[in-house]
Amino acid sequence: MIIDTGYSTSYFKDLIESFNEHIDFVKFGWGTCLVSPNIDKKIEILKLFNIDYFFGGTLFEYFYSKNQLNEFVNYCNIKNCKYIEVSNGTIDLSNTEKASIVSDLKNEFNVFSEVGYKDNLRSTRFDAEQWINYIKQDIDAGATKVIIETRESGKGGICNTDGSIKEDVFEKILASDIDLDKIIFEAPTKFLQQYFINNTHTNVNLGNIDFNDIISLETLRHGLRSDTFFK
Amino acid sequence: MIIDTGYSTSYFKDLIESFNEHIDFVKFGWGTCLVSPNIDKKIEILKLFNIDYFFGGTLFEYFYSKNQLNEFVNYCNIKNCKYIEVSNGTIDLSNTEKASIVSDLKNEFNVFSEVGYKDNLRSTRFDAEQWINYIKQDIDAGATKVIIETRESGKGGICNTDGSIKEDVFEKILASDIDLDKIIFEAPTKFLQQYFINNTHTNVNLGNIDFNDIISLETLRHGLRSDTFFK
Amino acid sequence: MIIDTGYSTSYFKDLIESFNEHIDFVKFGWGTCLVSPNIDKKIEILKLFNIDYFFGGTLFEYFYSKNQLNEFVNYCNIKNCKYIEVSNGTIDLSNTEKASIVSDLKNEFNVFSEVGYKDNLRSTRFDAEQWINYIKQDIDAGATKVIIETRESGKGGICNTDGSIKEDVFEKILASDIDLDKIIFEAPTKFLQQYFINNTHTNVNLGNIDFNDIISLETLRHGLRSDTFFK
């Protein structure tokens, strides 16, 4: 899952034409779609290549915090989205309530839910058991996949502010009975990409991949870069 | 104010075509124009979209330090510049002398002056009162806007070497009687962008914005990203 | 020497068209060529502009570690390479053995060898005398140039993990009787670029330059940026 942080039109087209075989999903990061004059052109390009797309969880939170959940759903329908992301990384929304929204939306969309907080203090207090419970609650509610938050910087959510992993949380998730195929780890840095590959398997679901890192990630998956050479 | 650090021609055109509505000025960073084979093509593209442009202050300092102020003015005229930047971030030039150059050039150009040093030791010794006096001296001399130095890295001038803000300086500038509309804060990092937006207002003048961050900055101004969500 | 980390086709063409006069070599970084659907198109573009290219040393190590040195040579021939890189940054291969491979390959290719380890612990134990001996051994074996490892991050090989230079090693290499013209320093960061320029000369051979830094590096070579202004 690649993240678009606001690329220009021809460059976006060039990336999709060059690398579509390595791309499963494009996420238009956070609320970028609302201020991107070229969002419709980008969606057209993705349709041409049959690549699915969705908007960042912050867009959901933006509408939800203004009591405009219907407007959010309408917007996603107007943009022909088949996928939708629901999160509570920024706003105050309980996981139970989030899971209930997942459950409602799953009739109309494939729903990606996200677990993890952007704020560092909230993340620190969020222990492995809660991570696991919330992931399971979202899966049970009907989420297609659950995204593990690390932020666009790789320094929030399941990561510490220095970019390293909260290893106890990560290891307990792995040791749990959660199906790894249901998880997408946000991995915007090479450190995180090699970490998840080395500690799970080469085809692990990774998200928030920068468009400029598509080939680099592919080399990591194939052991063609020093960091995963001996995997 | 977007900074061009040396982009290729078609990509530059693509960015301007895609995002011109979000751009007020393009600065061709430091002395890049002199070694950019495509500088004239880029200027043509900006003329097409009626976007003003100027060359980084280091170009002024380069000519000035060789006693070639006239050659600098000629160069800017040949390139059809309506705006010009005057700074003393690198060379030894007193603010009084700089302000006098601002005063001379303002008859022919709109002059952006810059306050702040690139060198860390000089920056450390430069206190809030001096910042305020120099900003005022430049405004009084006729500067259209005064640019607050942070370097292209966001780690010099009004920033500490770790990228954080010299908060005492910043707060005293805000508390002074300087018109904030006369100021452009260099804000090359997301940290600085959200800091200036959260601590002044959503339309604060920001500079040294990377071409790849145009949409991201726009989301920060609209509260569409976690960092300014509650502003 | 510019590094391609996996750019899309049109952008690659745009960069080469815009900046070919500043480029001597393009290195397709580590094993990217094997997973780049557009590698042949890129090579065609370089052929048009008479720019030489080669594949990163990790590609050699990948084939070598599988006992497929012949397949590596065949692959480079199929891709019309005139240059080839031989390294031991990741795998366990003595410098004597590496030099003997350099010696074999030099009949068919111009050979760039690399000295330095990617792993931090191995780098720490690798002292100045060994650096100098290995560089000389490779030159004596017939290497066209010897590349000094810093990794794509500027944080390995002759660099410490914080991105600073191992200054004792660097200074002893300079003080030795090694011809500086035979050396290419990997310099992927502005810090390293200004360091090598300020501490050797403005035309020093630099490698692993990001495509987006071509113009910036050229300004550093010409004293058009603060970091080398007084050189």
Side-chain angles (χ1 to χ4, degrees):
Chain A
M1 181 260 279
I2 309 300
I3 187 167
D4 177 65
T5 56
Y7 286 109
S8 48
T9 314
S10 298
Y11 186 54
F12 185 89
K13 191 178 174 204
D14 183 27
L15 288 158
I16 299 295
E17 283 180 344
S18 298
F19 303 135
N20 59 82
E21 68 188 63
H22 295 315
I23 304 173
D24 294 315
F25 292 99
V26 169
K27 172 165 87 177
F28 295 103
W30 60 103
T32 53
C33 56
L34 293 190
V35 293
S36 291
N38 54 350
I39 184 68
D40 289 336
K41 288 184 190 165
K42 289 181 176 180
I43 288 175
E44 262 178 56
I45 293 161
L46 293 179
K47 294 271 181 202
L48 265 173
F49 287 89
N50 286 313
I51 296 173
D52 281 310
Y53 54 87
F54 58 103
F55 302 123
T58 302
L59 189 73
F60 158 78
E61 299 185 46
Y62 178 78
F63 279 102
Y64 182 84
S65 67
K66 300 197 295 180
N67 287 312
Q68 300 185 330
L69 192 50
N70 283 339
E71 283 81 350
F72 174 64
V73 169
N74 287 343
Y75 181 81
C76 291
N77 275 321
I78 288 167
K79 298 300 181 193
N80 287 307
C81 294
K82 293 185 210 155
Y83 287 79
I84 210 166
E85 184 180 335
V86 173
S87 63
N88 58 355
T90 300
I91 62 173
D92 189 19
L93 169 69
S94 75
N95 206 76
T96 303
E97 179 66 18
K98 190 187 68 179
S100 130
I101 296 169
V102 170
S103 182
D104 289 347
L105 291 175
K106 75 160 187 276
N107 302 308
E108 208 172 342
F109 300 96
N110 298 290
V111 186
F112 289 151
S113 83
E114 188 177 60
V115 173
Y117 301 123
K118 295 184 192 287
D119 182 72
N120 191 44
L121 193 58
R122 284 177 81 195
S123 294
T124 305
R125 291 176 184 158
F126 189 45
D127 68 20
E129 201 187 324
Q130 286 172 301
W131 275 94
I132 291 168
N133 288 343
Y134 291 180
I135 293 168
K136 287 184 177 178
Q137 193 175 23
D138 288 357
I139 293 173
D140 290 345
T144 305
K145 306 266 183 200
V146 177
I147 298 171
I148 305 296
E149 169 82 70
T150 71
R151 298 212 67 180
E152 288 76 24
S153 58
K155 295 183 176 177
I158 203 171
C159 289
N160 299 304
T161 49
D162 67 357
S164 65
I165 289 266
K166 293 181 202 294
E167 299 199 356
D168 61 314
V169 173
F170 175 74
E171 281 160 21
K172 283 179 184 158
I173 292 174
L174 283 203
S176 77
D177 59 350
I178 294 169
D179 178 2
L180 202 57
D181 193 47
K182 285 297 229 180
I183 300 287
I184 298 176
F185 294 101
E186 291 189 342
T189 65
K190 188 182 75 166
F191 167 77
L192 290 174
Q193 293 160 17
Q194 65 78 26
Y195 184 90
F196 291 125
I197 289 170
N198 280 323
N199 289 285
T200 64
H201 61 89
T202 55
N203 286 319
V204 59
N205 299 323
L206 299 177
N208 281 14
I209 305 301
D210 191 287
F211 263 112
N212 295 310
D213 292 339
I214 293 173
I215 294 300
S216 172
L217 171 57
E218 209 58 27
T219 62
L220 290 173
R221 292 194 189 274
H222 285 80
L224 286 163
R225 193 167 192 180
S226 188
D227 314 76
T228 57
F229 197 90
F230 300 108
K231 169 72 181 177
Chain B
M1 183 262 277
I2 308 300
I3 186 165
D4 176 66
T5 56
Y7 286 108
S8 48
T9 315
S10 298
Y11 187 54
F12 185 89
K13 192 177 173 205
D14 183 28
L15 288 158
I16 300 295
E17 283 179 346
S18 299
F19 303 135
N20 59 83
E21 69 189 61
H22 295 316
I23 304 173
D24 294 314
F25 293 99
V26 169
K27 172 164 87 175
F28 295 104
W30 61 102
T32 53
C33 56
L34 293 189
V35 294
S36 291
N38 55 348
I39 184 69
D40 288 337
K41 287 184 192 165
K42 287 181 178 180
I43 288 175
E44 260 177 57
I45 293 161
L46 294 179
K47 293 273 184 204
L48 266 174
F49 286 88
N50 287 313
I51 295 173
D52 281 310
Y53 55 88
F54 58 103
F55 302 123
T58 302
L59 189 73
F60 159 78
E61 298 185 47
Y62 178 79
F63 279 102
Y64 182 84
S65 69
K66 300 198 293 179
N67 285 313
Q68 299 185 333
L69 192 50
N70 284 339
E71 283 81 349
F72 173 64
V73 169
N74 287 342
Y75 181 80
C76 291
N77 275 320
I78 288 167
K79 298 300 181 194
N80 287 309
C81 294
K82 292 185 211 156
Y83 286 78
I84 209 166
E85 182 180 335
V86 173
S87 63
N88 58 355
T90 301
I91 63 173
D92 189 18
L93 168 69
S94 74
N95 207 74
T96 304
E97 179 65 20
K98 190 187 70 179
S100 129
I101 296 169
V102 169
S103 182
D104 289 348
L105 291 174
K106 75 160 186 275
N107 303 308
E108 210 171 338
F109 300 95
N110 299 290
V111 187
F112 289 150
S113 82
E114 188 177 60
V115 173
Y117 301 124
K118 293 184 193 289
D119 182 72
N120 191 44
L121 194 58
R122 284 177 83 196
S123 293
T124 304
R125 292 176 182 155
F126 189 46
D127 69 18
E129 199 186 327
Q130 285 171 300
W131 275 94
I132 290 168
N133 287 343
Y134 291 0
I135 292 169
K136 287 184 177 179
Q137 194 176 22
D138 287 358
I139 292 173
D140 290 345
T144 305
K145 305 265 185 203
V146 178
I147 297 170
I148 305 296
E149 169 82 73
T150 71
R151 297 212 68 180
E152 288 76 25
S153 57
K155 295 183 177 179
I158 204 170
C159 289
N160 298 304
T161 50
D162 66 358
S164 66
I165 289 266
K166 293 181 202 292
E167 298 199 357
D168 61 314
V169 173
F170 175 73
E171 280 161 20
K172 282 179 184 157
I173 291 173
L174 282 203
S176 76
D177 58 351
I178 294 169
D179 178 3
L180 202 59
D181 192 48
K182 285 297 228 180
I183 300 288
I184 298 176
F185 294 101
E186 291 188 345
T189 64
K190 188 182 75 167
F191 167 76
L192 289 174
Q193 292 160 18
Q194 65 77 25
Y195 184 91
F196 291 126
I197 289 170
N198 280 324
N199 288 284
T200 64
H201 61 89
T202 55
N203 286 318
V204 59
N205 299 322
L206 299 178
N208 281 14
I209 304 302
D210 191 286
F211 263 112
N212 295 312
D213 292 338
I214 293 173
I215 293 301
S216 170
L217 172 56
E218 210 57 27
T219 60
L220 290 173
R221 292 193 189 277
H222 285 80
L224 286 163
R225 193 167 191 179
S226 187
D227 314 78
T228 57
F229 197 89
F230 300 107
K231 168 75 180 177
Chain C
M1 181 262 278
I2 309 300
I3 186 166
D4 176 65
T5 55
Y7 287 109
S8 49
T9 314
S10 298
Y11 186 54
F12 185 88
K13 191 177 174 206
D14 183 28
L15 288 159
I16 299 296
E17 283 180 343
S18 298
F19 303 135
N20 60 83
E21 68 187 63
H22 295 315
I23 304 172
D24 294 315
F25 293 99
V26 169
K27 172 165 88 177
F28 294 103
W30 60 103
T32 53
C33 57
L34 294 190
V35 292
S36 291
N38 54 350
I39 185 68
D40 289 336
K41 287 184 190 165
K42 288 180 177 181
I43 287 175
E44 260 177 58
I45 293 162
L46 294 179
K47 293 272 183 205
L48 266 174
F49 286 90
N50 287 311
I51 296 173
D52 281 311
Y53 54 88
F54 58 102
F55 302 123
T58 302
L59 189 73
F60 158 79
E61 299 185 46
Y62 178 79
F63 279 102
Y64 182 85
S65 67
K66 300 199 292 181
N67 285 313
Q68 300 185 330
L69 192 50
N70 284 339
E71 283 80 350
F72 174 63
V73 169
N74 286 344
Y75 181 80
C76 291
N77 275 321
I78 288 167
K79 299 298 181 194
N80 287 307
C81 294
K82 294 185 208 155
Y83 287 78
I84 210 165
E85 183 179 335
V86 173
S87 62
N88 58 355
T90 301
I91 62 173
D92 189 18
L93 168 69
S94 75
N95 207 75
T96 304
E97 180 64 20
K98 188 188 70 179
S100 130
I101 296 169
V102 169
S103 182
D104 290 346
L105 291 175
K106 74 161 188 274
N107 303 308
E108 208 172 340
F109 300 96
N110 299 290
V111 186
F112 288 150
S113 83
E114 188 177 60
V115 173
Y117 301 124
K118 293 184 193 289
D119 182 72
N120 191 45
L121 194 58
R122 285 176 81 195
S123 293
T124 305
R125 291 174 182 158
F126 189 45
D127 70 19
E129 200 185 325
Q130 286 171 302
W131 275 94
I132 291 168
N133 287 344
Y134 291 0
I135 293 169
K136 286 184 177 178
Q137 194 176 24
D138 287 358
I139 292 173
D140 290 345
T144 305
K145 305 265 184 203
V146 178
I147 297 170
I148 305 296
E149 169 83 69
T150 70
R151 298 212 66 182
E152 289 74 26
S153 58
K155 296 184 177 177
I158 203 171
C159 288
N160 298 305
T161 48
D162 66 358
S164 65
I165 289 266
K166 293 181 200 293
E167 298 200 356
D168 62 313
V169 173
F170 175 74
E171 280 161 21
K172 283 178 183 158
I173 292 173
L174 282 203
S176 76
D177 58 351
I178 294 169
D179 179 3
L180 201 59
D181 192 48
K182 285 296 227 180
I183 301 286
I184 299 176
F185 294 102
E186 290 188 344
T189 64
K190 189 182 75 166
F191 168 76
L192 290 173
Q193 293 161 16
Q194 65 78 26
Y195 184 90
F196 292 126
I197 289 171
N198 280 324
N199 288 285
T200 64
H201 61 89
T202 55
N203 286 319
V204 59
N205 299 321
L206 299 178
N208 281 14
I209 305 300
D210 190 286
F211 263 111
N212 295 311
D213 291 339
I214 294 174
I215 293 300
S216 171
L217 172 57
E218 210 57 27
T219 61
L220 290 173
R221 293 194 189 276
H222 285 81
L224 285 163
R225 194 168 190 179
S226 186
D227 314 78
T228 58
F229 197 90
F230 300 108
K231 169 73 180 177

